[in-house]
Amino acid sequence: MAEQLTPVSPLAAVSPLGGHTSGHDGTTLAEVTGLALVSLAVSAGSEKAFAAAIRKAWKIEVPPPGMSATAGDIRLIWTAPGQYHLLMVEPQGDPLSPVMKAVSGTAWLTDQSDSHAMLRLQGPRARDALERICPLDLHPGSFAVDAAARTVMEHLGVLLIREEADRYLLLSARSSAHSFLQAVETSLDNTA
């Protein structure tokens, strides 16, 4: 007698934090989904060609150390000498294909989209909450809009980007997403 197989439903992507959103006296903390994150390592000797390719593809100038640059819904983030992250709305299919075509051999690429949890902290208490758990000087004179830096928050590695005056994007490892959320949420709860 032949064994009957049960049909399997297609796999569905699950966000690291289940779409978390919370409000705290006018400040919101929300998981960000629907974005692709591509890591770019510029090939030795290709810096000028890479900058030209980025400019042509997205009308973005390669940002200096500690900064990011935007054009529409694309953000290029400096992460280390010769290394960048490209953050964009998740395309249909493979996020590497359009980036690979745009930079045409001037950089090595890695899709990092599923390896990070992303949170957006926005509102009047955002900076105060971050200053409780982040060793960076986040004063606007030191950490301007579009500034980006790798740092730690409660022992967790974080890429912090200041998107607007009171809006920050935080990226941390998916494997510790709930600890990351708890650290930011607790700091926000304790900010007067």
Side-chain angles (χ1 to χ4, degrees):
M1 181 176 204
E3 185 178 332
Q4 292 223 350
L5 298 176
T6 305
V8 178
S9 61
L11 296 177
V14 176
S15 70
L17 297 169
H20 176 87
T21 301
S22 59
H24 305 262
D25 297 326
T27 299
T28 59
L29 178 63
E31 181 181 22
V32 176
T33 59
L35 296 179
L37 182 68
V38 176
S39 174
L40 301 106
V42 180
S43 300
S46 297
E47 294 81 3
K48 287 182 181 179
F50 173 77
I54 293 292
R55 191 178 310 110
K56 180 180 178 186
W58 297 292
K59 313 288 187 273
I60 298 175
E61 294 297 324
V62 172
M67 295 299 291
S68 67
T70 61
D73 55 7
I74 304 278
R75 181 177 293 270
L76 184 65
I77 307 156
W78 183 93
T79 56
Q83 297 181 22
Y84 303 88
H85 281 332
L86 186 68
L87 193 60
M88 61 187 167
V89 173
E90 195 168 36
Q92 292 288 64
D94 177 19
L96 292 179
S97 296
V99 180
M100 192 176 302
K101 182 178 177 184
V103 299
S104 65
T106 63
W108 298 91
L109 312 176
T110 307
D111 181 6
Q112 298 287 319
S113 305
D114 291 333
S115 61
H116 288 81
M118 299 182 203
L119 290 172
R120 180 166 285 127
L121 183 59
Q122 180 174 352
R125 295 171 48 198
R127 190 178 81 184
D128 292 338
L130 292 174
E131 286 176 334
R132 294 176 54 83
I133 58 174
C134 176
L136 296 177
D137 180 358
L138 298 178
H139 185 275
S142 299
F143 202 75
V145 171
D146 291 329
R150 291 181 190 257
T151 187
V152 292
M153 293 182 188
E154 298 291 327
H155 77 277
L156 301 168
V158 175
L159 176 58
L160 174 64
I161 304 151
R162 186 172 183 202
E163 296 178 308
E164 295 177 4
D166 286 328
R167 189 170 94 182
Y168 299 84
L169 183 64
L170 300 87
L171 289 76
S172 192
R174 183 184 183 111
S175 60
S176 54
H178 290 281
S179 296
F180 174 49
L181 173 62
Q182 182 180 10
V184 179
E185 190 94 53
T186 300
S187 182
L188 191 52
D189 284 339
N190 291 308
T191 302

